[in-house]
Amino acid sequence: MKINRVRVVRRADGYYAQFCFDATRKEEGVYTGNIVGLDLGLKYFTFIPK
């Protein structure tokens, strides 16, 4: 594995390092047909129809 890029980020609670690298997944996914819904906790949502 080779690290392509490192980014150091300073936030109010400290410093963080973000690493960007190429990775190959070895596990294979199996399609089950199940559906997952995610609640993002939005307080407001704007829908603008065309």
Side-chain angles (χ1 to χ4, degrees), residues 4-45:
N4 296 330
R5 187 180 337 157
V6 177
R7 180 178 174 203
V8 178
V9 180
R10 180 180 169 204
R11 298 211 174 130
D13 58 343
Y15 288 88
Y16 296 89
Q18 299 173 346
F19 297 90
C20 180
F21 58 91
D22 292 326
T24 303
R25 292 183 60 162
K26 295 185 180 180
E27 70 264 3
E28 293 184 17
V30 177
Y31 178 71
T32 62
N34 294 335
I35 299 173
V36 175
L38 300 176
D39 181 5
L40 301 177
L42 298 175
K43 291 185 178 184
Y44 302 98
F45 180 77

